[in-house]
Amino acid sequence: MIKHFLEIENLARRFPGKDGELTVFENANFGIDKGEFVCIIGHSGCGKSTIMNVLAGLDAPTDGNVFMDGSEVAGPSLDRGVVFQNYSLLPWLSAVHNVTFAVRSRWPGWNKEQVREHSYRYLEMVGLGGGAELRKPAQLSGGMRQRVSIARAFAIQPKLLLLDEPFGALDALTRGTIQDELVKICNATHQTVFMITHDVDEAILLADRILLMTNGPHARIAESVKVDLKHPRERGKIIHDPGYYPIRNHLVDFLVRRSEELSGAVTPETPAQAAGAYPVEVNPAATARNETGGATLSAIDAR
Amino acid sequence: MLQSLNARAMLVSIGFLVLVLGVWEFANPAPDASKPLTEYEILMGGADQEARVPPPSAVIIRAFEELSNPFYDAGPNDKGIGIQLAYSIYRVLTGFMLAALLAIPVGFLIGMSPLMYKALNPFIQVLRPISPLAWMPLALFIIKDSETSSIFVIFICSIWPMLINTAFGVAGVRRDWVNVARTHELSPLRTALTVILPAAAPTVLTGMRISIGIAWLVIVAAEMLVGGTGIGYYVWNEWNNLDLTSVIFSILMIGVVGMLLDLALSAATRLVQYEE
């Protein structure tokens, strides 16, 4: 088996309930390579956030292991930066101090000027400056707060960035701009990212690979969909790519229909999901290209 | 015209003040002095002439006299109002500070540890409803000093609101903020100082504000009991002198100082207040 940068083995999380255990998810196996952007999609309650918390080290798995860069993940660490859905900024600190707070804990030996300079660089990267960085989070809009939160996560230069539905609470316009910025930052930094989302288009725009989760309880990661679209991607142009709709249709079909059909505990009828198995790999864009023939193939497959 | 709500409210306040003082001044006139004194009255030196609640005008004149020379000291039973208030404030602040030094760390402990909460809760529940003055005999016996005993009584009554509010504030710190501290690998001490303390500070300060209010209520009673100095002793001493004008004046001063203490703490609360 090829060893990935991040290796998730047989991960399961069960909570003690009134009538026996409640299995949120089980048999989760996947890997993420360095520099890869992986999204995970699934319905509410399938345990996406629980997986995220385990990866962040905030929650411990019931079974299974997580390895990052060869060592096991146990407890939170500055090697993994987290952006929470509700921003989780400290409200008594100004935007810039929320970032310096993180920078200081990452590099305790740095002097004031280094910390300040580093923090401002990352605030500028997310487009925050001109006095807005001196305001408290309550005086910032939702989009600005999420920018601060992203700057804080990038500023500690984590090996792995975890994004828990970072744009879920934002309006569509703001979401679009911040997505564009995230694309730019990721292209520039080659950051390894694992992101939870509900938004199919967002996943296609950002991800190299999309993991699909079946409905809970007993949720599992059923498929790994390769997003075979060339970089750099732009929100306006990506929808004209012939590979776009095959991927989108595949994802929507999964969410609407198959996530329900495939849900429930592993049975002998679903042999592909036996313990230890990786999710099924699919590449809807390539399949579509092969169906339409080689003429368009060369035009698209620039990667 | 008077558009501002504040200005109108002030006008109404002044109206009420004038009304109440007017009723008080004229509803209770002095006994008619033109009548010849009875034999009893002559025996009593005509004291009954002023045996009534003194009118506000007398109180204002007394207040003016006292406040124009607040720090004179003419022996144990005749000290200026400023000296008496200073004694009381000193006792309240000393007891209050000592209580804060104990209650805030213990409140942190209780708020952060469910075990300590459950273990200490029965003691708190029993000790909290005890009237602070009930500790006085025990304090006098053990400490053998009336001054320190009254500080102890302030200490014991100030503890509870601060302890309970601190524990409540610390336990109520948002999980997300604690997670931020955890993902940034902060040590427990740094988490307590840089995340939990600022997050709980407004609740802690509210507890301190309640405490100082209670302490100021209790000091008057405690000083009436132990005597010697202080505004409580002053009130009781003037009552023994049958000087009701001074009694009313000192009641007003107690109110004014209590208000100032509360304002100071509420200003401090505003400093640590944050908007979510």
Side-chain angles (χ1 to χ4, degrees), chain A residues 56-59 76-80 82 84 86 88-92 101-102 104-105 138-139 145 152 156, chain B residues 173-174 176-186 190 194-200 272-276:
Chain A
L58 295 170
D59 195 3
S77 150
L78 283 162
D79 285 340
R80 277 158 282 129
V82 192
F84 299 96
N86 49 12
S88 291
L89 298 173
L90 303 177
W92 54 90
F101 169 87
R104 263 207 309 275
S105 46
Q139 298 160 317
R145 285 186 223 178
R152 180 174 69 181
I156 61 168
Chain B
V173 171
R174 289 245 309 262
D176 300 336
W177 301 337
V178 180
N179 280 344
V180 167
R182 290 181 65 200
T183 52
H184 289 91
E185 292 187 53
L186 295 196
R190 277 204 58 194
T194 61
V195 177
I196 295 177
L197 185 63
V272 298
Q273 198 69 257
Y274 58 84
E275 232 184 301
E276 268 187 51

Side-chain angles (χ1 to χ4, degrees), chain A residues 23-28 45-47 213-221 263-264:
Chain A
T23 302
V24 181
F25 64 86
E26 58 190 359
N27 294 329
C46 73
M213 275 187 101
T214 63
N215 292 357
H218 294 282
R220 60 208 158 75
I221 296 169
S263 67

Side-chain angles (χ1 to χ4, degrees), chain B residues 243-266:
Chain B
D243 185 355
L244 280 173
T245 317
S246 290
V247 168
I248 293 170
F249 165 64
S250 50
I251 288 172
L252 287 176
M253 289 313 289
I254 292 169
V256 169
V257 173
M259 184 184 75
L260 292 177
L261 288 173
D262 190 63
L263 281 179
L265 262 293
S266 84

Side-chain angles (χ1 to χ4, degrees), chain A residues 35-49:
Chain A
E36 207 179 8
F37 196 125
V38 175
C39 278
I40 189 160
I41 290 192
H43 284 282
S44 303
C46 73
K48 301 185 299 286
S49 289

Side-chain angles (χ1 to χ4, degrees), chain B residues 54-70:
Chain B
S57 52
V59 176
I60 291 166
I61 292 163
R62 175 61 50 85
F64 189 76
E65 288 166 12
E66 286 284 351
L67 291 176
S68 56
N69 185 14

